[in-house]
Each structure stands twice: as C-alpha cells, then as structure tokens.
Amino acid sequence: MLLFSRQGKLRLQKWYVPYQDKLKKKVTRELISTVLGRKPKMCNFLEWRDLKVVYKRYASLYFCCAIEDTDNELLTLEIIHRYVELLDKYFGSVCELDIIFNFEKAYFMLDELLIGGEIQETSKKNVLKAIQAQDLLQETSDHPNSTITI
C-alpha cells in the first residue's frame, strides 16, 4: 500500500511482497506518476504490468494498492476505505500532516487492519481499542512511575 500526496510525495508505504530497495523505488515512482497522470473522473482500477492497481483519492492524499490479477478490486477499495475511516476516527478528520507527524500510528493502524496483505480485523472498534491500548502503554513507558490499569 502506498500513500502519496497530489504533488507525488510518498507519505507511507507498506510492502507485502519482498522487493529490493532499488526496485521498490522504481515501482513507487512509476505507480505515483501513473496514478497522478489520470483524470479525476477515470476509473479507480487499472492494469499495470501483471498486477491490478486500485487507488482512491481522499482530500490531498492518494491511497494506492497493487493486487494480484485474481484479487477482488472492490474488496481492495473497501479495505482502503476502512483504513481511511480508521484514520479519520483516530485523528478526527485526518489530514496529510497527521500522517507525516504520526506515521508510526498510521503504520500501527495498518498493521492491525492487514497482515501479510490480507485483512485481519474488520471491526473498526477492535482496531481502535488496540490503538488506544498501545497509546496507554506508550504513555506509561514515558512515565515509569505511573501504574497501568486496564
């Protein structure tokens, strides 16, 4: 999954298939330029190499996934939307700056939602509970004299 701005700045990337760094940069550059070159009214699905690319623009960010030919595009679009809903719920109307300054939370949220590129948790409530528990754990580790109550 790639998150990038309208200007083509990569904000977040998560790879579920191992590639060398040089190839990752090339693929990222090609995908960003391909998606940004499309008109707003065009379909959110496109065939690219031997993969299907599913993307969606939310405000100033593009969320982009490359999936195998046999995977369901609509399900992928729904996963992207679910991730955006989680980000919105956590940050309260998420914006590009939230992703930039809290990228570790965005990655953690993505890891709670997907494992190995497959959906792990469909419940927004459960994902947000895990995030809140992580926040609490982080707060207590920042202040070692406090006690944990769960």
Side-chain angles (χ1 to χ4, degrees):
M1 180 176 287
L2 300 176
L3 270 71
F4 53 91
S5 69
R6 288 185 307 192
Q7 293 78 30
K9 296 277 189 190
L10 187 63
R11 298 301 182 202
L12 190 96
Q13 64 178 329
K14 185 73 175 185
W15 296 81
Y16 296 105
V17 177
Y19 287 109
Q20 293 179 348
D21 286 343
K22 189 175 181 179
L23 185 58
K24 281 183 185 180
K25 287 178 184 173
K26 182 181 179 199
V27 167
T28 301
R29 200 171 38 248
E30 284 181 27
L31 277 176
I32 289 174
S33 65
T34 301
V35 169
L36 289 177
R38 293 173 63 86
K39 293 182 176 31
K41 296 286 183 186
M42 292 179 88
C43 181
N44 289 2
F45 313 134
L46 63 108
E47 291 184 9
W48 181 77
R49 297 186 180 177
D50 59 339
L51 299 170
K52 290 189 274 188
V53 174
V54 179
Y55 69 93
K56 181 80 171 138
R57 180 178 162 201
Y58 290 92
S60 65
L61 284 175
Y62 283 89
F63 292 73
C64 179
C65 293
I67 59 174
E68 294 176 358
D69 196 37
T70 57
D71 289 337
N72 187 332
E73 302 96 331
L74 293 175
L75 183 60
T76 305
L77 201 56
E78 189 60 34
I79 290 169
I80 290 172
H81 186 69
R82 177 58 49 107
Y83 183 51
V84 172
E85 286 178 327
L86 285 167
L87 291 169
D88 259 352
K89 198 135 183 127
Y90 183 78
F91 291 113
S93 189
V94 68
C95 67
E96 191 174 347
L97 290 175
D98 291 325
I99 303 292
I100 293 169
F101 293 117
N102 300 294
F103 65 90
E104 69 283 345
K105 297 276 189 241
Y107 275 116
F108 186 75
M109 227 175 280
L110 188 57
D111 289 341
E112 284 294 314
L113 183 66
L114 300 172
I115 287 187
E118 300 292 329
I119 190 89
Q120 170 191 299
E121 182 59 67
T122 57
S123 169
K124 287 186 281 189
K125 191 184 292 185
N126 288 347
V127 172
L128 290 170
K129 276 185 192 176
I131 306 277
Q132 290 167 346
Q134 182 68 25
D135 287 347
L136 183 64
L137 188 62
Q138 187 174 3
E139 284 177 24
T140 56
S141 69
D142 291 343
H143 308 300
N145 294 337
S146 61
T147 58
I148 300 176
T149 55
I150 297 178

